[in-house]
Amino acid sequence: MIEEKKVLTRHADSPGMIDVKNYIKDNGYKGLEKALEKKPLDIVEEVKKSFLRGRGGAGFPTGFKWSFIPTDKTKPHYLICNADEGEPGTFKDRVIMENDPFLLIEGMTIAAYALQADLGFIYIRGEFKWIAEILERAIQDARKVNMLGENIMDKGFDFDLIVMRGAGAYICGEETALIESIEGKRGQPRIKPPFPANSGLYGCPTIVNNVETLASIPFIAEHGAETYKLMGGFQAAGTKLYGISGHVNRPGVYEYPLGTNLKDLIQYAAGGVRNDKKLKAVIPGGLSATILKEDEIDIPMDFDSCVKADTMLGSGGVIVMDEDTPIPEIALATINFYVHESCGQCTPCREGLAKIQQILKILLAGNGTIQDIDTIIKLANTIDGTTLCPLGEAGGAVIRAMIKKFRSEFDALVS
Amino acid sequence: MSTSTLPQNKDAVTYTLDAKLVSNIEKLADQFPDKHSAILPALHIIQDEFNWIPPESVNQLCDILDTTPNKIYSVLTFYTMFHTKPVGKYHIQVCRNVSCSLMGASNLIEHLTQKLNIQPGETTPDGKFTLSLVECLGACGNAPVMMLNDRYHENLTADKIDDILKSLE
C-alpha cells in the first residue's frame, strides 16, 4: 500500500478556504510570517536545501533558479506564476487554485520577498475564467488583511499581484512565450540566453514558477527544508500532485510523496484499470512524456527515475490505457495536438509535425506503406535539437516511441 | 480553431465600445508597467461584450493603447480563444485530446453533429450554435469534457448533452 501525504491538498476538502479568515485560522500565513523575519537570501538558501524541483514539467531545482536573480537590484524584479495548465493529462494546478488560492498567494508572497520582486503575475489559461475570478477575489481579500500591497504584515515589504488570462495557446506554458504573452505579444518562445532571471518581463529580472512549486513554498518556509525533505526520496523531496485520467476506476488528482511507484499509483490511488480490463500502456507525465508499456511501469515517479526509464515525470499527469486501446489512433490524437499548438516559429516543428500528422492520417486510412512508418521516425529524429523550445521535439519523440513500442500495430495498418 | 461562416449583418449593429468599456480598459492599462500588457485582457473584455472581436473595436483599442491594428491583429489571430468572426450565441467546444478520446469523446462529437446538424467549425443557420473541437481543456480527470460559452461541462454523456441542449431551447 502507499500513503497519501496532504501538504498541497490539505484544504482540498474544505470549501471555506477561499475565505482568507478561514485560511489564517487554519495556520495559514505562518510561512510568510517566519519568512519576513529572515533575510531574503536566507530563504533562497532554505529552498535550495529543500531540494524542491519545479513542478511544471522540467524539474529544475527551484532554489537554484532563484539564485540567478541579481542581488544588486538595479531594475524592478518580477515573479510570475505559471498557471497556464495545458499539458494534456494535467489538471492538478486548478485543484490548488480553486480550493486553496491563499496557499498559492502566500507562496508567491514568500517567493517575492526572497527575490525582492515588486510585482507578481498569475498567468492562468484563458478557459479557467471562473478560477481567475476566485484568484482575483482572493487577492482583494489578502490586501484587506495586509497580506498583499504595501507594508505587508507591517514588515516594510511591498508586493502586489495581477491575474492575467491567456487565450488558448498551449505554448504560453513555455516561460519565455508566457512572458511575451504578458507583454501583449504573440506567445512565441524567445532565444535563450538571456534567461528570464537576467532579462525577462519588460527586460527585467524575472522568475517563472509553476503553481504547485509556489504552493510548496509556505510549508518549506514554515517547517524548514529538513522537514520537507523527510517526504519523498533522495533528490526527490516533497510531495507531488499526480493527476490520473483515462481508463481507471477513480480518475482524479492525488497527492503522494515524490517517488511513489507508478504501478501503485494506478492500482491504489486510482483503483486500477476499469471494467476488469488489462493494462496496455501509460503516459506517465503529461502528453509530452514517452509512453510506457504495461511491463515498464514499476518505477518510482520522480524526475531522475523517470529519465532512467526513458520517459519523464513532467507534470505528473498519468494517462492510463486499457488493452482495447488502438495506439495508432492515440498517436494521431497526440500529433493533432502538437500540430495545433506549434507556434509556427521554427520550421522543423511547424513543418515536421504537420508532415507526421499527414502520414499518420494516410496510414490510418489504410493507404500507407512500410516506408511511411520509417519516414515518421526519420522526421522525428530531424526535429530533435533543432527548435527553440521543447514542443516540436516532444511531439516527434512521443510518436516515435509509440511506433517503436507498438510497431506491430502500425505495421498492421499497411499489411 | 476555425469558427463560423455566419453572414455578418453589418447594417444592424454598431460595434463600438461605449464610454464605460473604454474607461475600464484605460484603468486596466494603468495597472501594468507597460500598457501593451493590456492587449490580451482588453480583447477578453471586448469579446465578452460582442462575442467576437469586431474590427471597429480593434481601431478603438489602438487609440486607447497607442498601438496599431497590425499589432493587435498579429496578437489576436495567434490566440485561438479570440474570434475574428461572429460565433453562435452558444459556442460549444468539445475536447478531442487523448484522455477525452479514451473516454469516448468521438461518440459525443458525432452525437453533437447529428443533433445540431452541423460539422465542427460550423454555425447553425439561425446563429444559435457554433461547434468547435479543441485540444485539452485541463479537466482530464472528468473526461469527456466540453465548454458551453464560459462554462465547463464534465463527465459528459450523450444524455447529459441532450439535457443541456434542451435547456437552451
Side-chain angles (χ1 to χ4, degrees):
Chain A
M1 277 302 283
I2 46 174
E3 202 187 331
E4 253 184 306
K5 261 279 189 273
K6 293 203 166 193
V7 174
L8 302 165
T9 53
R10 68 191 162 105
H11 292 143
D13 306 321
S14 337
M17 283 302 155
I18 54 168
D19 182 333
V20 71
K21 289 191 201 87
N22 291 337
Y23 181 75
I24 291 171
K25 254 186 241 163
D26 196 72
N27 291 320
Y29 279 113
K30 283 279 185 328
L32 178 62
E33 198 181 332
K34 282 198 176 178
L36 290 178
E37 298 292 332
K38 294 183 182 170
K39 288 188 194 126
L41 280 180
D42 292 342
I43 300 162
V44 175
E45 278 310 307
E46 194 69 21
V47 173
K48 256 191 196 172
K49 272 197 290 183
S50 76
F51 284 130
L52 173 65
R53 292 173 69 172
R55 300 298 200 240
F60 196 82
T62 306
F64 200 45
K65 192 180 209 180
W66 288 9
S67 68
F68 297 148
I69 281 277
T71 46
D72 54 331
K73 192 171 167 185
T74 55
K75 288 177 175 177
H77 292 181
Y78 296 110
L79 172 68
I80 298 172
C81 171
N82 185 346
D84 194 41
E85 182 157 73
E87 176 73 27
T90 312
F91 48 102
K92 63 181 179 77
D93 292 335
R94 61 181 280 192
V95 173
I96 295 171
M97 295 187 285
E98 280 185 282
N99 300 303
D100 209 1
F102 293 102
L103 185 68
L104 173 62
I105 292 170
E106 183 185 356
M108 287 193 76
T109 313
I110 298 167
Y113 177 67
L115 302 164
Q116 291 297 290
D118 308 87
L119 182 63
F121 291 84
I122 302 176
Y123 185 93
I124 185 167
R125 64 177 298 166
E127 294 88 344
F128 285 172
K129 191 180 181 187
W130 80 99
I131 306 178
E133 286 162 2
I134 291 173
L135 291 168
E136 264 159 7
R137 272 196 301 274
I139 288 167
Q140 282 170 17
D141 291 348
R143 282 189 199 124
K144 280 181 204 150
V145 295
N146 194 22
M147 293 297 185
L148 269 182
E150 287 175 11
N151 196 17
I152 292 169
M153 288 179 124
D154 298 322
K155 300 285 183 194
F157 172 59
D158 303 342
F159 176 66
D160 216 332
L161 275 173
I162 295 175
V163 178
M164 185 135 170
R165 280 168 66 210
Y170 164 74
I171 192 58
C172 291
E174 196 279 341
E175 62 180 13
T176 59
L178 191 161
I179 289 169
E180 290 281 297
S181 184
I182 294 183
E183 289 183 358
K185 299 173 188 160
R186 297 163 74 87
Q188 292 182 318
R190 294 177 179 173
I191 295 171
K192 285 161 281 190
F195 289 95
N198 290 314
S199 180
L201 185 62
Y202 313 124
C204 297
T206 303
I207 290 293
V208 185
N209 286 138
N210 171 257
V211 174
E212 191 184 347
T213 312
L214 288 163
S216 301
I217 299 296
F219 184 94
I220 297 168
E222 185 183 350
H223 302 285
E226 292 307 319
T227 313
Y228 186 74
K229 278 197 293 189
L230 292 177
M231 302 177 291
F234 177 67
Q235 297 270 312
T239 61
K240 176 86 194 83
L241 299 180
Y242 297 101
I244 309 177
S245 64
H247 296 143
V248 289
N249 281 311
R250 290 190 302 272
V253 173
Y254 303 96
E255 184 175 11
Y256 282 89
L258 195 56
T260 299
N261 187 287
L262 176 58
K263 200 172 180 173
D264 290 344
L265 280 172
I266 294 168
Q267 189 57 41
Y268 299 114
V273 179
R274 62 174 198 166
N275 299 336
D276 293 321
K277 296 273 185 190
K278 280 192 197 137
L279 181 70
K280 177 171 191 176
V282 179
I283 295 171
L287 199 60
S288 301
T290 299
I291 197 166
L292 296 173
K293 290 161 76 176
E294 182 270 336
D295 59 358
E296 295 173 324
I297 63 160
D298 195 2
I299 54 166
M301 280 289 276
D302 61 60
F303 299 101
D304 299 334
S305 305
C306 285
V307 170
K308 251 187 237 164
D310 276 332
T311 183
M312 65 172 189
L313 176 67
S315 60
V318 178
I319 306 172
V320 177
M321 295 168 226
D322 72 18
E323 56 187 320
D324 298 336
T325 311
I327 300 298
E329 280 179 32
I330 297 300
L332 181 62
T334 301
I335 200 69
N336 284 344
F337 172 76
Y338 290 99
V339 171
H340 185 262
E341 300 298 346
S342 172
C343 82
Q345 195 175 200
C346 307
T347 311
C349 170
R350 185 188 64 239
E351 302 300 326
L353 296 176
K355 197 77 193 162
I356 293 175
Q357 180 191 42
Q358 193 185 0
I359 298 172
L360 273 172
K361 280 183 182 166
I362 291 170
L363 284 167
L364 279 160
N367 299 324
T369 63
I370 286 284
Q371 287 77 14
D372 287 334
I373 302 173
D374 295 325
T375 304
I376 293 177
I377 292 174
K378 271 187 211 153
L379 283 164
N381 293 345
T382 307
I383 301 170
D384 281 351
T386 58
T387 54
L388 282 181
C389 87
L391 186 148
E393 192 166 318
V398 293
I399 302 299
R400 181 173 56 208
M402 285 178 191
I403 292 177
K404 286 189 174 168
K405 294 188 179 187
F406 298 92
R407 177 79 197 212
S408 61
E409 288 184 47
F410 289 85
D411 285 344
L413 297 173
V414 295
S415 57
Chain B
M1 153 184 40
S2 62
T3 47
S4 82
T5 48
L6 190 76
Q8 294 181 39
N9 187 354
K10 283 181 181 150
D11 316 320
V13 199
T14 56
Y15 289 116
T16 47
L17 306 170
D18 63 22
K20 190 166 170 266
L21 284 176
V22 170
S23 138
N24 282 351
I25 294 171
E26 281 168 347
K27 264 187 236 153
L28 188 77
D30 282 343
Q31 67 173 335
F32 294 107
D34 177 337
K35 61 182 171 183
H36 290 136
S37 287
I39 291 177
L40 250 67
L43 290 171
H44 278 303
I45 290 177
I46 293 169
Q47 189 155 290
D48 280 349
E49 180 70 16
F50 300 117
N51 228 7
W52 65 295
I53 312 283
E56 296 90 326
S57 68
V58 171
N59 290 335
Q60 270 181 296
L61 191 56
C62 290
D63 293 338
I64 303 169
L65 299 179
D66 194 18
T67 186
T68 60
N70 178 34
K71 157 94 180 170
I72 305 270
Y73 276 108
S74 86
V75 175
L76 88 87
T77 54
F78 181 83
Y79 296 93
T80 51
M81 278 179 76
F82 297 130
H83 311 302
T84 51
K85 287 178 184 164
V87 293
K89 184 179 174 196
Y90 300 111
H91 188 193
I92 295 175
Q93 305 186 70
V94 192
C95 175
R96 61 162 190 180
N97 206 282
V98 172
S99 294
C100 283
S101 296
L102 291 171
M103 301 305 278
S106 53
N107 291 340
L108 297 181
I109 294 163
E110 181 65 35
H111 183 74
L112 274 163
T113 56
Q114 280 174 12
K115 273 268 172 181
L116 300 173
N117 202 20
I118 49 172
Q119 290 303 307
E122 294 178 353
T123 299
T124 52
D126 60 0
K128 203 168 171 188
F129 293 101
T130 297
L131 178 63
S132 303
L133 304 185
V134 292
E135 299 296 346
C136 192
L137 291 171
C140 322
N142 300 325
V145 186
M146 72 177 198
M147 278 178 89
L148 171 64
N149 295 345
D150 290 342
R151 279 198 56 197
Y152 274 48
H153 293 270
E154 303 177 314
N155 296 309
L156 276 181
T157 59
D159 287 346
K160 268 194 196 175
I161 287 177
D162 291 347
D163 289 345
I164 293 165
L165 292 181
K166 210 174 265 174
S167 74
L168 302 176
E169 272 163 14

